[in-house]
Amino acid sequence: MAQATTSATYLAQAYHAIFAPTPMTTEEFHDRQMKCVVEAGIVTVNELNVFHGKIPAHKYCILVPRIFPASEFKAVMGKVEYGEKKGDSYLDPQHHSDIIKVPDGPFLAVGIEDGRGRLNTPPSESYKKILAEKRQPYPTLVGIYHILTYSVIFDSHNMDLVGSRYRSVYVPDLRLRDGVPKLDAHFYDGADPKWGAPSCEEWIVP
């Protein structure tokens, strides 16, 4: 399997191919996210001011403007669109937990790799390798923010969210089921060419 890449070039190529025939700058990448979270009612335009001048140049980031609890997963997933379908969640929030530490307030997931570099890798192995590379695995929260803006990732693959757990042993995931974006969880720890674990270089609190 190819080694996971963290380069901005990789992300640029991946998202240019999906969204436009012309290059998408990091500024355009982040502006799209800001538009989506405001339209989804997650935050106001003014609440995004916390990121002003704080987003690293030439790095692709996922903006996390509000830490919402697991009890809101279903509502936020309902804002995710894939074609004409709306997202949904199958998780009981009381059984969800994170196994990594994430900031308590707004933050940036900097230098993202959306899981393409870890396709066909068991979730447990991806988790170990991500930590060994001094990177941060996506918890469920970051994964939801990612697909809220870029649900077209499902044209490529599904996401293993190895930074979180469901009922202690299941790995939450974001997948397409009958064309609908779903937040679910699985116990299977095998390798699959349509599944990969996303990660980022670090969290930055603005």
Side-chain angles (χ1 to χ4, degrees), residues 11 19 46 56 60 66 68 70 73-74 82 89 127-128 136 155-156 158 170 173 192 199 202-203 206:
L11 262 293
F19 292 115
N46 287 340
Y60 289 83
R66 182 169 72 84
F68 51 82
F73 285 174
K74 189 174 184 68
Y82 181 80
S89 172
Y127 179 72
K128 292 175 184 177
Q136 295 285 355
D155 290 346
S156 168
N158 301 310
Y170 294 82
D173 64 70
D192 191 302
S199 65
E202 61 179 337
W203 315 131

Side-chain angles (χ1 to χ4, degrees), residues 15-201:
Y15 287 109
H16 296 167
I18 292 171
F19 292 115
T22 56
M24 178 185 291
T25 66
T26 52
E27 184 176 5
E28 291 167 337
F29 186 86
H30 302 132
D31 284 349
R32 180 184 175 90
Q33 293 181 60
M34 292 183 185
K35 179 176 182 288
C36 285
V37 296
V38 171
E39 289 181 346
I42 294 174
V43 292
T44 65
V45 172
N46 287 340
E47 288 175 296
L48 289 172
N49 287 338
V50 67
F51 295 118
H52 181 69
K54 304 294 186 179
I55 302 175
H58 311 303
K59 287 198 175 182
Y60 289 83
C61 309
I62 294 298
L63 281 59
V64 181
R66 182 169 72 84
I67 309 298
F68 51 82
S71 59
E72 293 184 36
F73 285 174
K74 189 174 184 68
V76 179
M77 282 297 298
K79 305 289 187 179
V80 174
E81 297 181 356
Y82 181 80
E84 298 181 355
K85 301 291 183 68
K86 299 280 190 178
D88 198 3
S89 172
Y90 288 162
L91 303 189
D92 182 338
Q94 67 178 323
H95 296 298
H96 178 275
S97 61
D98 293 329
I99 60 171
I100 59 168
K101 175 65 176 174
V102 296
D104 297 324
F107 68 93
L108 297 162
V110 177
I112 61 170
E113 195 285 310
D114 67 8
R116 295 167 207 248
R118 299 185 197 277
L119 297 177
N120 210 30
T121 304
S124 61
E125 183 178 338
S126 288
Y127 179 72
K128 292 175 184 177
K129 287 184 175 181
I130 289 168
L131 295 185
E133 294 166 10
K134 307 298 184 184
R135 293 176 62 81
Q136 295 285 355
Y138 270 28
T140 303
L141 178 75
V142 177
I144 292 175
Y145 271 112
H146 192 129
I147 66 161
L148 180 66
T149 307
Y150 303 109
S151 65
V152 289
I153 190 174
F154 292 124
D155 290 346
S156 168
H157 64 284
N158 301 310
M159 286 182 166
D160 289 318
L161 305 173
V162 299
S164 297
R165 290 293 182 270
Y166 184 64
R167 296 185 182 273
S168 301
V169 295
Y170 294 82
V171 174
D173 64 70
L174 288 162
R175 67 176 79 182
L176 275 189
R177 178 175 292 174
D178 298 324
V180 176
K182 296 286 188 180
L183 173 60
D184 207 338
H186 63 275
F187 185 74
Y188 177 68
D189 194 40
D192 191 302
K194 292 293 290 183
W195 291 79
S199 65
C200 67
E201 293 175 6

